[in-house]
Amino acid sequence: MTSRQTTSEKPKYFDLDIHGIGYLNRVREVTPENGSPFLSVTIAALRGPADNVQHTHFDCVVSGEEAKDLVRQLMPAVEADMKVLVGFHLSDLQAEAFTFKQGERAGTTGIGLKSRLLRFQWIKVDGQPFLAPVARDAIA
């Protein structure tokens, strides 16, 4: 056995996937000084008991092509402060430290959660279906 991979071998890769329900916020096109522009969103994921829901915020780069198209369609609804509730699939979670620049926590350290948005399982805008759930493993 050699330490080099042949071209037919795929590299091993470990996924860290997150599936959940949350609200889509802060849809934006980001143009960094060095690098390619990308589409970004924040998802306020719901967790905990239904009578005491907590939110965990994920800053996401939208990487799935279908997800990019849907996010662009949803941008006007998000900007109009409509409630856009989504079933989501994220990958590659990373924590990043930052320093608050304003407010009562100015100067203190916080942690931001960064991820990639791969796809939506379903979408509702103000309670109305926008994208119905799809059985992705169903045979056509």
Side-chain angles (χ1 to χ4, degrees):
M1 187 169 219
T2 66
S3 62
R4 302 179 81 180
Q5 291 180 338
T6 65
T7 55
S8 64
E9 289 181 35
K10 289 188 176 184
K12 291 183 180 180
Y13 189 83
F14 299 99
D15 290 330
L16 176 58
D17 289 349
I18 301 165
H19 296 266
I21 297 171
Y23 290 100
L24 192 66
N25 297 298
R26 293 188 64 219
V27 176
R28 60 219 179 266
E29 293 275 354
V30 178
T31 306
E33 288 183 28
N34 298 319
S36 301
F38 59 92
L39 186 60
S40 181
V41 299
T42 298
I43 294 180
L46 306 178
R47 62 179 173 80
D51 62 349
N52 188 23
V53 174
Q54 303 293 309
H55 295 88
T56 298
H57 295 84
F58 297 96
D59 286 321
C60 305
V61 172
V62 184
S63 61
E65 290 305 315
E66 181 182 21
K68 288 178 187 177
D69 181 51
L70 289 166
V71 166
R72 286 187 179 100
Q73 291 178 48
L74 292 164
M75 191 180 291
V78 173
E79 290 172 349
D81 289 328
M82 298 174 85
K83 290 187 183 276
V84 180
L85 186 65
V86 299
F88 61 84
H89 179 184
L90 308 179
S91 186
D92 298 334
L93 178 66
Q94 297 179 17
E96 185 175 282
F98 66 92
T99 302
F100 286 97
K101 295 184 182 187
Q102 54 189 5
E104 63 184 49
R105 295 182 67 184
T108 63
T109 301
I111 300 295
L113 298 175
K114 310 277 185 185
S115 191
R116 291 186 313 126
L117 173 60
L118 300 180
R119 70 181 59 88
F120 296 107
Q121 279 82 37
W122 53 267
I123 301 169
K124 289 184 179 181
V125 177
D126 277 347
Q128 298 301 309
F130 183 86
L131 174 67
V134 176
R136 295 205 176 262
D137 296 328
I139 298 173

